Amino acid sequence: MPRKRDGVPEPGSSHSHAVSESGDVIPFQQAWLTAARKLGGLPVHTMAPEEWIPLRVQYTGESKAAARSAIGSDTRGLGLDHCSDDQRAFRALLALALFNGDVYTGPTARWNYSVVASYDPVMSPRWDQLVMVAERAPENVATRLLATVGAASRGVPGLRHEVSYTCHGQRSVCLRHLPTGALLTITGDPAGCRRGNRPSHVPRHPYLTLDNDLTAHERRALAAVPTISGEAATLLAGLVSRYNLVDRRGHWATSLSWDPLERPGVERRKEPEVIQQGAVRRLWGTGDSWEFRWTGYPEPRDLALALTHREAGVKSAGFSRHGDSYRVVLGTASLDLCDGKG
C-alpha cells in the first residue's frame, strides 16, 4: 500500500491522479506543477531552460533579448544571483549607494546613487556584468553616477568610464570598477546589447577613465565601508538585482519610486513629507548583520517576499516578521527591513 504525504498519495499509486474539469486524467506531478505555476511558486529547477527566459521577463520587465543574454546553460534558476565573485562584491557595494540617501549623511550617501530611483531603471543582472536599462536618459544617469575630474565626492569610488557606444540607435555607457574589476553598463537599449557601433573610449563628459588610478579620496571612502560577510554580500547584491521587480501574480513589487501594481492600500506610502522632501533611505551594518530602514516605497513586506520568493528569490533565504519589520536570513547573515526613519 503506497504511503501518503500529509494525506496525499505518493506519485505512482493508484490514487495519484487528479481529474480535470473536462474529465481527463492528469498525472499528480503535472497537476501539482500546473497549480504551482498559477500560484507563482513554481520550482524553477523542474523547468526546461527555455522556459526560464519568459518567466524571468515577467518579474524583471526586461526584454526577451536581454533576459536571453543573461541565461546560459549553466545558469541557476532565473539568474538574478548567478554571477562572478567580483560582480557580487561590486553589487553589494553598489547597494550601499543605491539604498542610502536624502537626510542620511553616512559615507555612501554622498556617492549620489540614490537619485537613480527617479529614472525607474530595469536591472538586467548577468554573470559578468550588471546592465542597467534607463531608456529615458542613460547618459544623464551616468553623469550623476560617475566621478568627474575635480569632483571628488561624487560617484562610487573606483568606478571608471571604459567605453561608450551606440546600439539599436540607443546610447550605452560601460563602466569598470577598479577595485573589483566588475562591469556596469548603463544603456538606453532595451535589449541591453553587448556590442555596438562606433565605440569610443573618450567620454562625452570629463569622467574619470581607466587611465585614472584610485584617488586618495576614493581610498578613504572605500576604507569607511564596513566589512561585508559572504552571505551578507549575497543579500545586499540581491537587493540590487531586484531593484525594480514585480511579482507575476501581482502580490508584491520592489520599485523605490512608485507602486507598479497601483494598489490602493500602498498609495498611503506617498505621504506629503515624502513627496516634498523625498524618501529617506539608510542601509548600513557590518559583517553578518545589516539593516535597511526607509520611508516611501516599497513596503517592507514586499521586499522581504521578493528576496525569499520561491521563483525569484535568493536561494535558501527565508524571512520572519517582528512587528512592522521583517528579517531576511541567509545562513548566518541577516538583513532587517524596517519602515520609517528610525
Side-chain angles (χ1 to χ4, degrees), residues 175-229:
L175 316 176
R176 182 75 64 178
H177 188 239
L178 294 181
T180 61
L183 181 64
L184 167 65
T185 298
I186 304 170
T187 180
D189 177 18
C193 185
R194 298 172 71 103
R195 298 180 179 177
N197 302 321
R198 301 187 301 278
S200 173
H201 295 278
V202 179
R204 289 183 176 180
H205 303 275
Y207 302 138
L208 295 180
T209 68
L210 295 180
D211 294 328
N212 301 107
D213 293 330
L214 284 176
T215 66
H217 171 82
E218 288 178 317
R219 294 181 189 279
R220 289 192 297 270
L222 290 171
V225 175
T227 300
I228 305 174
S229 71

Short mmCIF file of all heavy atoms in Angstrom, two decimals, residues 175-229:
data_model
loop_
_atom_site.label_atom_id
_atom_site.label_comp_id
_atom_site.label_asym_id
_atom_site.label_seq_id
_atom_site.Cartn_x
_atom_site.Cartn_y
_atom_site.Cartn_z
N LEU A 175 30.97 51.01 -17.68
CA LEU A 175 31.79 51.48 -16.56
C LEU A 175 32.49 50.29 -15.91
O LEU A 175 31.90 49.23 -15.75
CB LEU A 175 30.91 52.19 -15.51
CG LEU A 175 29.85 53.17 -16.05
CD1 LEU A 175 29.03 53.70 -14.90
CD2 LEU A 175 30.52 54.29 -16.81
N ARG A 176 33.74 50.47 -15.55
CA ARG A 176 34.52 49.42 -14.90
C ARG A 176 34.88 49.86 -13.49
O ARG A 176 35.29 50.99 -13.26
CB ARG A 176 35.80 49.15 -15.69
CG ARG A 176 36.66 48.04 -15.15
CD ARG A 176 36.09 46.67 -15.45
NE ARG A 176 36.02 46.38 -16.87
CZ ARG A 176 35.60 45.23 -17.38
NH1 ARG A 176 35.17 44.26 -16.56
NH2 ARG A 176 35.55 45.05 -18.69
N HIS A 177 34.69 48.94 -12.53
CA HIS A 177 35.02 49.24 -11.14
C HIS A 177 36.43 48.73 -10.86
O HIS A 177 36.68 47.52 -10.87
CB HIS A 177 34.01 48.60 -10.21
CG HIS A 177 34.15 49.01 -8.79
ND1 HIS A 177 34.39 48.12 -7.76
CD2 HIS A 177 34.11 50.24 -8.21
CE1 HIS A 177 34.46 48.77 -6.62
NE2 HIS A 177 34.30 50.06 -6.85
N LEU A 178 37.36 49.63 -10.61
CA LEU A 178 38.76 49.26 -10.46
C LEU A 178 39.03 48.26 -9.33
O LEU A 178 39.75 47.28 -9.53
CB LEU A 178 39.61 50.52 -10.27
CG LEU A 178 39.69 51.48 -11.46
CD1 LEU A 178 40.60 52.65 -11.11
CD2 LEU A 178 40.18 50.79 -12.71
N PRO A 179 38.48 48.46 -8.12
CA PRO A 179 38.81 47.54 -7.03
C PRO A 179 38.38 46.10 -7.27
O PRO A 179 39.05 45.16 -6.83
CB PRO A 179 38.08 48.14 -5.82
CG PRO A 179 37.94 49.58 -6.15
CD PRO A 179 37.69 49.61 -7.63
N THR A 180 37.23 45.88 -7.94
CA THR A 180 36.71 44.53 -8.16
C THR A 180 36.88 44.05 -9.59
O THR A 180 36.81 42.84 -9.85
CB THR A 180 35.21 44.46 -7.80
OG1 THR A 180 34.48 45.36 -8.67
CG2 THR A 180 34.97 44.83 -6.35
N GLY A 181 37.05 44.97 -10.53
CA GLY A 181 37.12 44.60 -11.93
C GLY A 181 35.75 44.37 -12.55
O GLY A 181 35.64 43.96 -13.71
N ALA A 182 34.67 44.62 -11.80
CA ALA A 182 33.31 44.36 -12.28
C ALA A 182 32.87 45.40 -13.31
O ALA A 182 33.33 46.54 -13.30
CB ALA A 182 32.35 44.34 -11.11
N LEU A 183 31.95 44.97 -14.19
CA LEU A 183 31.45 45.83 -15.26
C LEU A 183 30.00 46.23 -15.00
O LEU A 183 29.17 45.39 -14.65
CB LEU A 183 31.55 45.10 -16.60
CG LEU A 183 31.10 45.86 -17.85
CD1 LEU A 183 31.99 47.08 -18.10
CD2 LEU A 183 31.14 44.93 -19.07
N LEU A 184 29.70 47.52 -15.17
CA LEU A 184 28.35 48.06 -15.09
C LEU A 184 28.07 48.78 -16.40
O LEU A 184 28.83 49.65 -16.81
CB LEU A 184 28.21 49.04 -13.92
CG LEU A 184 26.95 49.91 -13.88
CD1 LEU A 184 25.71 49.06 -13.67
CD2 LEU A 184 27.06 50.98 -12.79
N THR A 185 26.98 48.40 -17.08
CA THR A 185 26.60 49.05 -18.32
C THR A 185 25.29 49.79 -18.12
O THR A 185 24.30 49.20 -17.68
CB THR A 185 26.45 48.03 -19.46
OG1 THR A 185 27.70 47.39 -19.71
CG2 THR A 185 25.99 48.72 -20.75
N ILE A 186 25.28 51.06 -18.43
CA ILE A 186 24.05 51.87 -18.39
C ILE A 186 23.65 52.12 -19.83
O ILE A 186 24.44 52.66 -20.62
CB ILE A 186 24.30 53.19 -17.66
CG1 ILE A 186 24.86 52.93 -16.26
CG2 ILE A 186 23.01 53.99 -17.55
CD1 ILE A 186 25.35 54.18 -15.57
N THR A 187 22.44 51.73 -20.20
CA THR A 187 22.06 51.77 -21.60
C THR A 187 20.63 52.23 -21.80
O THR A 187 19.78 52.07 -20.93
CB THR A 187 22.25 50.38 -22.24
OG1 THR A 187 21.87 50.43 -23.62
CG2 THR A 187 21.39 49.33 -21.54
N GLY A 188 20.37 52.79 -22.96
CA GLY A 188 19.01 53.14 -23.36
C GLY A 188 18.41 52.07 -24.25
O GLY A 188 17.26 52.18 -24.67
N ASP A 189 19.18 51.04 -24.55
CA ASP A 189 18.74 49.96 -25.43
C ASP A 189 18.04 48.87 -24.61
O ASP A 189 18.68 48.21 -23.80
CB ASP A 189 19.96 49.37 -26.15
CG ASP A 189 19.61 48.18 -27.02
OD1 ASP A 189 18.42 48.00 -27.35
OD2 ASP A 189 20.53 47.41 -27.36
N PRO A 190 16.74 48.66 -24.80
CA PRO A 190 16.02 47.65 -24.02
C PRO A 190 16.62 46.25 -24.15
O PRO A 190 16.51 45.44 -23.23
CB PRO A 190 14.60 47.69 -24.61
CG PRO A 190 14.48 49.06 -25.20
CD PRO A 190 15.84 49.39 -25.73
N ALA A 191 17.27 45.97 -25.28
CA ALA A 191 17.86 44.66 -25.48
C ALA A 191 19.17 44.51 -24.71
O ALA A 191 19.69 43.40 -24.58
CB ALA A 191 18.10 44.40 -26.97
N GLY A 192 19.70 45.63 -24.20
CA GLY A 192 20.95 45.56 -23.46
C GLY A 192 22.07 44.96 -24.28
O GLY A 192 22.86 44.16 -23.81
N CYS A 193 22.15 45.37 -25.54
CA CYS A 193 23.11 44.81 -26.49
C CYS A 193 24.54 44.96 -25.97
O CYS A 193 24.92 46.01 -25.47
CB CYS A 193 22.97 45.51 -27.83
SG CYS A 193 24.00 44.81 -29.13
N ARG A 194 25.32 43.91 -26.12
CA ARG A 194 26.69 43.92 -25.63
C ARG A 194 27.67 44.53 -26.63
O ARG A 194 28.79 44.88 -26.28
CB ARG A 194 27.13 42.49 -25.30
CG ARG A 194 26.31 41.83 -24.21
CD ARG A 194 26.68 40.38 -24.08
NE ARG A 194 28.00 40.23 -23.49
CZ ARG A 194 28.21 39.88 -22.24
NH1 ARG A 194 27.19 39.68 -21.42
NH2 ARG A 194 29.42 39.74 -21.76
N ARG A 195 27.28 44.61 -27.87
CA ARG A 195 28.16 45.16 -28.89
C ARG A 195 27.44 46.29 -29.62
O ARG A 195 26.28 46.18 -29.96
CB ARG A 195 28.58 44.09 -29.89
CG ARG A 195 29.36 42.94 -29.25
CD ARG A 195 29.74 41.90 -30.30
NE ARG A 195 30.50 40.81 -29.70
CZ ARG A 195 30.90 39.74 -30.39
NH1 ARG A 195 30.62 39.64 -31.67
NH2 ARG A 195 31.59 38.79 -29.77
N GLY A 196 28.15 47.35 -29.89
CA GLY A 196 27.53 48.49 -30.55
C GLY A 196 28.40 49.06 -31.64
O GLY A 196 29.49 48.56 -31.94
N ASN A 197 27.88 50.13 -32.23
CA ASN A 197 28.60 50.80 -33.30
C ASN A 197 29.39 51.98 -32.76
O ASN A 197 29.06 52.57 -31.75
CB ASN A 197 27.59 51.30 -34.35
CG ASN A 197 26.76 50.16 -34.92
OD1 ASN A 197 27.27 49.07 -35.15
ND2 ASN A 197 25.47 50.42 -35.15
N ARG A 198 30.44 52.31 -33.44
CA ARG A 198 31.28 53.48 -33.14
C ARG A 198 31.69 53.55 -31.67
O ARG A 198 31.40 54.52 -30.98
CB ARG A 198 30.55 54.76 -33.54
CG ARG A 198 30.17 54.83 -35.02
CD ARG A 198 29.60 56.19 -35.38
NE ARG A 198 28.42 56.53 -34.61
CZ ARG A 198 27.20 56.11 -34.91
NH1 ARG A 198 27.00 55.33 -35.95
NH2 ARG A 198 26.17 56.48 -34.19
N PRO A 199 32.33 52.50 -31.15
CA PRO A 199 32.78 52.55 -29.76
C PRO A 199 33.81 53.65 -29.54
O PRO A 199 34.66 53.90 -30.40
CB PRO A 199 33.40 51.16 -29.54
CG PRO A 199 33.80 50.70 -30.90
CD PRO A 199 32.77 51.26 -31.83
N SER A 200 33.70 54.32 -28.41
CA SER A 200 34.62 55.42 -28.11
C SER A 200 35.11 55.29 -26.67
O SER A 200 34.32 55.09 -25.75
CB SER A 200 33.92 56.77 -28.28
OG SER A 200 34.75 57.82 -27.84
N HIS A 201 36.41 55.38 -26.49
CA HIS A 201 36.99 55.34 -25.15
C HIS A 201 37.13 56.75 -24.56
O HIS A 201 37.57 56.91 -23.43
CB HIS A 201 38.36 54.66 -25.19
CG HIS A 201 38.28 53.21 -25.56
ND1 HIS A 201 37.98 52.22 -24.65
CD2 HIS A 201 38.41 52.58 -26.77
CE1 HIS A 201 37.95 51.05 -25.26
NE2 HIS A 201 38.21 51.23 -26.55
N VAL A 202 36.74 57.74 -25.36
CA VAL A 202 36.78 59.13 -24.90
C VAL A 202 35.36 59.54 -24.51
O VAL A 202 34.48 59.62 -25.38
CB VAL A 202 37.32 60.08 -25.99
CG1 VAL A 202 37.32 61.51 -25.48
CG2 VAL A 202 38.71 59.65 -26.43
N PRO A 203 35.08 59.77 -23.24
CA PRO A 203 33.71 60.08 -22.81
C PRO A 203 33.28 61.48 -23.26
O PRO A 203 34.09 62.35 -23.55
CB PRO A 203 33.80 60.01 -21.29
CG PRO A 203 35.23 60.32 -20.98
CD PRO A 203 36.02 59.74 -22.10
N ARG A 204 31.97 61.67 -23.33
CA ARG A 204 31.41 62.97 -23.71
C ARG A 204 31.63 64.01 -22.61
O ARG A 204 31.69 65.20 -22.88
CB ARG A 204 29.91 62.83 -23.97
CG ARG A 204 29.56 62.08 -25.25
CD ARG A 204 28.04 62.07 -25.45
NE ARG A 204 27.67 61.44 -26.71
CZ ARG A 204 26.40 61.30 -27.13
NH1 ARG A 204 25.41 61.75 -26.35
NH2 ARG A 204 26.14 60.73 -28.28
N HIS A 205 31.70 63.53 -21.39
CA HIS A 205 31.89 64.42 -20.24
C HIS A 205 33.24 64.12 -19.61
O HIS A 205 33.82 63.05 -19.85
CB HIS A 205 30.75 64.24 -19.24
CG HIS A 205 29.38 64.47 -19.84
ND1 HIS A 205 28.83 65.72 -19.93
CD2 HIS A 205 28.48 63.60 -20.38
CE1 HIS A 205 27.63 65.63 -20.50
NE2 HIS A 205 27.40 64.36 -20.79
N PRO A 206 33.75 65.00 -18.77
CA PRO A 206 35.08 64.78 -18.17
C PRO A 206 35.08 63.74 -17.06
O PRO A 206 35.48 64.00 -15.92
CB PRO A 206 35.45 66.18 -17.65
CG PRO A 206 34.14 66.82 -17.34
CD PRO A 206 33.21 66.34 -18.42
N TYR A 207 34.58 62.53 -17.39
CA TYR A 207 34.58 61.45 -16.41
C TYR A 207 36.00 60.98 -16.15
O TYR A 207 36.88 61.08 -17.00
CB TYR A 207 33.80 60.24 -16.94
CG TYR A 207 32.36 60.48 -17.30
CD1 TYR A 207 31.82 59.93 -18.45
CD2 TYR A 207 31.53 61.24 -16.48
CE1 TYR A 207 30.50 60.10 -18.80
CE2 TYR A 207 30.20 61.44 -16.82
CZ TYR A 207 29.69 60.87 -17.98
OH TYR A 207 28.38 61.06 -18.32
N LEU A 208 36.19 60.36 -14.97
CA LEU A 208 37.42 59.64 -14.74
C LEU A 208 37.40 58.37 -15.59
O LEU A 208 36.36 57.71 -15.72
CB LEU A 208 37.55 59.28 -13.26
CG LEU A 208 37.67 60.46 -12.27
CD1 LEU A 208 37.79 59.95 -10.84
CD2 LEU A 208 38.86 61.34 -12.61
N THR A 209 38.50 58.04 -16.21
CA THR A 209 38.58 56.87 -17.08
C THR A 209 39.54 55.83 -16.51
O THR A 209 40.10 56.01 -15.42
CB THR A 209 39.07 57.29 -18.49
OG1 THR A 209 40.43 57.71 -18.39
CG2 THR A 209 38.22 58.44 -19.03
N LEU A 210 39.75 54.76 -17.26
CA LEU A 210 40.64 53.70 -16.80
C LEU A 210 42.08 54.18 -16.65
O LEU A 210 42.89 53.52 -16.00
CB LEU A 210 40.58 52.51 -17.76
CG LEU A 210 39.23 51.78 -17.86
CD1 LEU A 210 39.32 50.63 -18.85
CD2 LEU A 210 38.80 51.27 -16.49
N ASP A 211 42.38 55.31 -17.23
CA ASP A 211 43.73 55.88 -17.10
C ASP A 211 43.95 56.53 -15.74
O ASP A 211 45.07 56.86 -15.37
CB ASP A 211 43.98 56.92 -18.20
CG ASP A 211 44.02 56.28 -19.58
OD1 ASP A 211 44.45 55.11 -19.67
OD2 ASP A 211 43.63 56.95 -20.56
N ASN A 212 42.85 56.71 -14.98
CA ASN A 212 42.93 57.36 -13.67
C ASN A 212 42.94 56.32 -12.56
O ASN A 212 41.97 55.56 -12.40
CB ASN A 212 41.75 58.32 -13.46
CG ASN A 212 41.69 59.42 -14.50
OD1 ASN A 212 40.82 59.42 -15.38
ND2 ASN A 212 42.60 60.37 -14.41
N ASP A 213 44.01 56.25 -11.80
CA ASP A 213 44.09 55.33 -10.66
C ASP A 213 43.17 55.81 -9.53
O ASP A 213 42.62 56.92 -9.59
CB ASP A 213 45.52 55.26 -10.14
CG ASP A 213 46.47 54.61 -11.14
OD1 ASP A 213 45.99 53.75 -11.91
OD2 ASP A 213 47.65 54.98 -11.15
N LEU A 214 43.02 54.98 -8.51
CA LEU A 214 42.24 55.38 -7.35
C LEU A 214 42.85 56.63 -6.72
O LEU A 214 44.07 56.71 -6.55
CB LEU A 214 42.21 54.26 -6.30
CG LEU A 214 41.30 53.07 -6.56
CD1 LEU A 214 41.50 52.03 -5.45
CD2 LEU A 214 39.85 53.48 -6.63
N THR A 215 41.99 57.58 -6.41
CA THR A 215 42.47 58.80 -5.77
C THR A 215 42.56 58.58 -4.26
O THR A 215 42.01 57.61 -3.71
CB THR A 215 41.51 59.97 -6.04
OG1 THR A 215 40.25 59.70 -5.41
CG2 THR A 215 41.30 60.16 -7.55
N ALA A 216 43.24 59.49 -3.58
CA ALA A 216 43.35 59.40 -2.12
C ALA A 216 41.96 59.48 -1.49
O ALA A 216 41.67 58.78 -0.50
CB ALA A 216 44.25 60.51 -1.60
N HIS A 217 41.09 60.33 -2.05
CA HIS A 217 39.73 60.45 -1.52
C HIS A 217 38.98 59.13 -1.67
O HIS A 217 38.27 58.70 -0.75
CB HIS A 217 38.97 61.55 -2.27
CG HIS A 217 37.51 61.60 -1.94
ND1 HIS A 217 37.01 62.22 -0.82
CD2 HIS A 217 36.44 61.04 -2.57
CE1 HIS A 217 35.70 62.06 -0.78
NE2 HIS A 217 35.33 61.36 -1.83
N GLU A 218 39.12 58.47 -2.82
CA GLU A 218 38.43 57.21 -3.04
C GLU A 218 38.94 56.13 -2.08
O GLU A 218 38.15 55.32 -1.59
CB GLU A 218 38.62 56.77 -4.48
CG GLU A 218 37.82 57.61 -5.48
CD GLU A 218 38.07 57.18 -6.92
OE1 GLU A 218 39.25 56.93 -7.27
OE2 GLU A 218 37.10 57.07 -7.68
N ARG A 219 40.21 56.11 -1.84
CA ARG A 219 40.77 55.12 -0.91
C ARG A 219 40.20 55.32 0.49
O ARG A 219 39.87 54.36 1.19
CB ARG A 219 42.29 55.21 -0.89
CG ARG A 219 42.95 54.81 -2.21
CD ARG A 219 44.46 54.89 -2.13
NE ARG A 219 45.06 54.70 -3.43
CZ ARG A 219 45.27 53.54 -4.02
NH1 ARG A 219 44.92 52.43 -3.38
NH2 ARG A 219 45.83 53.46 -5.20
N ARG A 220 40.05 56.57 0.91
CA ARG A 220 39.46 56.85 2.23
C ARG A 220 38.00 56.44 2.26
O ARG A 220 37.51 55.90 3.26
CB ARG A 220 39.62 58.34 2.58
CG ARG A 220 41.05 58.76 2.89
CD ARG A 220 41.07 60.15 3.51
NE ARG A 220 40.56 61.16 2.60
CZ ARG A 220 41.32 61.84 1.73
NH1 ARG A 220 42.63 61.61 1.66
NH2 ARG A 220 40.78 62.76 0.94
N ALA A 221 37.29 56.70 1.17
CA ALA A 221 35.87 56.36 1.11
C ALA A 221 35.66 54.85 1.17
O ALA A 221 34.76 54.36 1.87
CB ALA A 221 35.25 56.92 -0.18
N LEU A 222 36.47 54.10 0.46
CA LEU A 222 36.35 52.65 0.49
C LEU A 222 36.74 52.09 1.86
O LEU A 222 36.15 51.11 2.33
CB LEU A 222 37.24 52.04 -0.60
CG LEU A 222 36.75 52.26 -2.04
CD1 LEU A 222 37.82 51.82 -3.04
CD2 LEU A 222 35.45 51.51 -2.29
N ALA A 223 37.69 52.73 2.51
CA ALA A 223 38.11 52.28 3.84
C ALA A 223 37.01 52.49 4.88
O ALA A 223 36.99 51.82 5.91
CB ALA A 223 39.38 53.03 4.26
N ALA A 224 36.08 53.42 4.59
CA ALA A 224 34.99 53.70 5.53
C ALA A 224 33.86 52.70 5.42
O ALA A 224 32.94 52.71 6.25
CB ALA A 224 34.45 55.12 5.28
N VAL A 225 33.91 51.83 4.40
CA VAL A 225 32.85 50.83 4.22
C VAL A 225 33.11 49.65 5.15
O VAL A 225 34.22 49.09 5.17
CB VAL A 225 32.81 50.33 2.76
CG1 VAL A 225 31.80 49.20 2.60
CG2 VAL A 225 32.47 51.48 1.83
N PRO A 226 32.13 49.24 5.96
CA PRO A 226 32.33 48.12 6.88
C PRO A 226 32.58 46.81 6.14
O PRO A 226 32.27 46.67 4.95
CB PRO A 226 31.00 48.06 7.66
CG PRO A 226 30.34 49.38 7.42
CD PRO A 226 30.78 49.82 6.07
N THR A 227 33.10 45.85 6.86
CA THR A 227 33.28 44.51 6.31
C THR A 227 31.92 43.88 6.02
O THR A 227 30.99 44.01 6.80
CB THR A 227 34.05 43.62 7.30
OG1 THR A 227 35.32 44.20 7.57
CG2 THR A 227 34.24 42.21 6.75
N ILE A 228 31.81 43.24 4.86
CA ILE A 228 30.56 42.57 4.47
C ILE A 228 30.86 41.08 4.33
O ILE A 228 31.69 40.67 3.53
CB ILE A 228 30.03 43.11 3.13
CG1 ILE A 228 29.87 44.63 3.18
CG2 ILE A 228 28.71 42.45 2.77
CD1 ILE A 228 29.49 45.26 1.84
N SER A 229 30.18 40.25 5.13
CA SER A 229 30.41 38.81 5.06
C SER A 229 29.92 38.26 3.72
O SER A 229 29.15 38.92 3.01
CB SER A 229 29.71 38.09 6.21
OG SER A 229 28.30 38.10 6.01
#
